Amino acid sequence: MARIEQDVFAEIAEERSGVRSRTASRRRSRRRGWLTAGGIAAAFVVGVLITPSVLSLTTAASSGSSVSAVPAPAGVTSPELKSLADGGAKNSATTGGSASSATSTPRDIVRTGSATVQVHDVRAAADALRALAEKHGGFVESEQLGSSGVPSSTGGIVPLPQGDGWVTLRVPAADLTAVMDALRDQGTVLSTSIGQDDVTATTTDLRAQVASLTASVDRLTQLMSQASSVADLLTAETALTDRQAQLQSAQQQLKSLESQVEMSSVQVTLVREAAAAADPAGFGDGVAAGWHGLIVSLNALVIALGFLLPWLAVALVVVLIVWGIVRIRRAGRARRSAGNTASAPTPQD
């Protein structure tokens, strides 16, 4: 019995020690899990708070740095090559825009003039205007004489009377006032106007775009020479083609505006003088004026008759049809009346 009791108590003690060890291990596992979760949460919070500041500092540093000094590493992939090209163009545009705004440049002003001049001979006046433009170092941009139209400010064509015309001159902007004053020598100036348009902001932006796109084209050309795969080469070639098209468009717009600033446009409308009416000064002039009036009246009468003749023909046809219908109806009535009279009984004696 004593041995049995000792064995039972020994088993109970072993079971109690095993339960205690399992409980302790569970507690240690739970403690390790809570510590791991807390560390992950702390790392997440630190990342959320610190990462935006680090990214903003990195972006500011990259935008302020010179992109042209960044070499294209060998073996660069297509997305990286595209990001380098796009980033270089944007940074160059920012740098060009700030440099242009900081530098004081003269104002770019487009000056234009227009006038309406009454002349005796439109052809001779057009030749005189050509000589005037060449005298001041300009030229005739366009010319139209005869029954045509003159370009309007809205882009349309305003019709002109028979024998009139218009001439568009291009003269240096500095000589615009002198050319407008010289128009008085060509005839009677009916109206004049001078307009000015400040295009400084547009030309400044176009110059910045040209400088930025030129730098971008040069960088893309270098990247093409350093491309290590066909995919990189095709990406660089596509970006280079797009940049070259944008560069040519900006250069054309800038060239057009600079030409308008340097050479002013003068639109001159030439109107022929009206012939003066002759006043009769004697018997012969009176007879001539009367004969002329008679001819004009006869001509108007002939025109009126020619206009009314088709209507008269139609009216005659209608009258004939109505007259025929009336004759037929009268003949029918007469026959019916004669028939009724013949069929009636005669009185006997």
Side-chain angles (χ1 to χ4, degrees):
M1 292 296 293
R3 286 196 301 272
I4 291 172
E5 291 178 356
Q6 291 178 358
D7 293 338
V8 170
F9 289 135
E11 290 178 1
I12 293 173
E14 289 179 358
E15 290 179 359
R16 289 180 177 177
S17 62
V19 171
R20 291 175 181 175
S21 62
R22 286 195 298 272
T23 304
S25 62
R26 290 176 182 174
R27 290 178 179 176
R28 288 194 296 270
S29 300
R30 291 176 181 176
R31 191 179 296 111
R32 285 195 300 268
W34 283 107
L35 291 176
T36 303
I40 294 174
F44 178 76
V45 172
V46 171
V48 170
L49 295 177
I50 296 177
T51 301
S53 301
V54 175
L55 291 177
S56 62
L57 293 175
T58 305
T59 304
S62 61
S63 62
S65 61
S66 176
V67 180
S68 60
V70 179
V76 65
T77 59
S78 300
E80 295 174 352
L81 181 62
K82 184 177 181 181
S83 64
L84 285 175
D86 296 340
K90 294 179 180 178
N91 292 332
S92 178
T94 304
T95 305
S98 60
S100 61
S101 61
T103 305
S104 59
T105 56
R107 310 298 298 178
D108 294 330
I109 298 177
V110 177
R111 304 182 65 196
T112 57
S114 63
T116 302
V117 184
Q118 189 178 41
V119 297
H120 180 69
D121 188 351
V122 174
R123 175 65 64 180
D127 295 339
L129 290 176
R130 183 185 299 274
L132 177 63
E134 294 176 352
K135 176 183 177 181
H136 289 273
F139 57 93
V140 175
E141 184 179 33
S142 59
E143 176 182 343
Q144 180 65 54
L145 304 179
S147 58
S148 182
V150 57
S152 64
S153 58
T154 59
I157 300 295
V158 178
L160 291 175
Q162 180 74 22
D164 297 343
W166 53 268
V167 179
T168 302
L169 308 178
R170 294 295 298 273
V171 297
D175 298 342
L176 177 61
T177 304
V179 171
M180 296 295 292
D181 294 338
L183 293 178
R184 298 187 180 93
D185 299 334
Q186 310 303 325
T188 304
V189 179
L190 302 179
S191 64
T192 59
S193 64
I194 296 178
Q196 295 184 353
D197 185 14
D198 191 350
V199 295
T200 305
T202 305
T203 54
T204 302
D205 292 341
L206 288 174
R207 292 189 183 99
Q209 291 180 17
V210 169
S212 171
L213 291 171
T214 301
S216 179
V217 168
D218 294 339
R219 285 193 298 273
L220 288 173
T221 304
Q222 295 176 359
L223 290 175
M224 285 184 62
S225 62
Q226 298 174 2
S228 59
S229 64
V230 177
D232 295 342
L233 183 61
L234 293 176
T235 302
E237 184 178 1
T238 303
L240 179 61
T241 302
D242 182 62
R243 292 290 189 280
Q244 287 176 342
Q246 296 177 5
L247 177 60
Q248 292 177 359
S249 177
Q251 288 176 341
Q252 290 293 334
Q253 296 179 21
L254 180 60
K255 183 179 179 181
S256 176
L257 281 179
E258 289 178 345
S259 174
Q260 296 177 22
V261 171
E262 295 176 0
M263 302 291 290
S264 297
S265 176
V266 182
Q267 179 71 44
V268 183
T269 303
L270 301 175
V271 180
R272 186 176 54 181
E273 294 179 354
D279 296 331
F283 179 77
D285 293 336
V287 172
W291 177 257
H292 179 70
L294 177 61
I295 295 299
V296 171
S297 300
L298 291 177
N299 188 23
L301 181 60
V302 170
I303 293 175
L305 290 176
F307 176 79
L308 294 176
L309 185 60
W311 296 95
L312 293 176
V314 173
L316 180 60
V317 171
V318 173
V319 170
L320 291 176
I321 293 174
V322 173
W323 180 73
I325 294 173
V326 172
R327 288 288 303 269
I328 293 173
R329 294 183 65 180
R330 287 179 179 176
R333 289 198 196 99
R335 285 195 300 269
R336 285 195 298 271
S337 298
N340 292 333
T341 302
S343 61
T346 57
Q348 296 180 357
D349 296 337

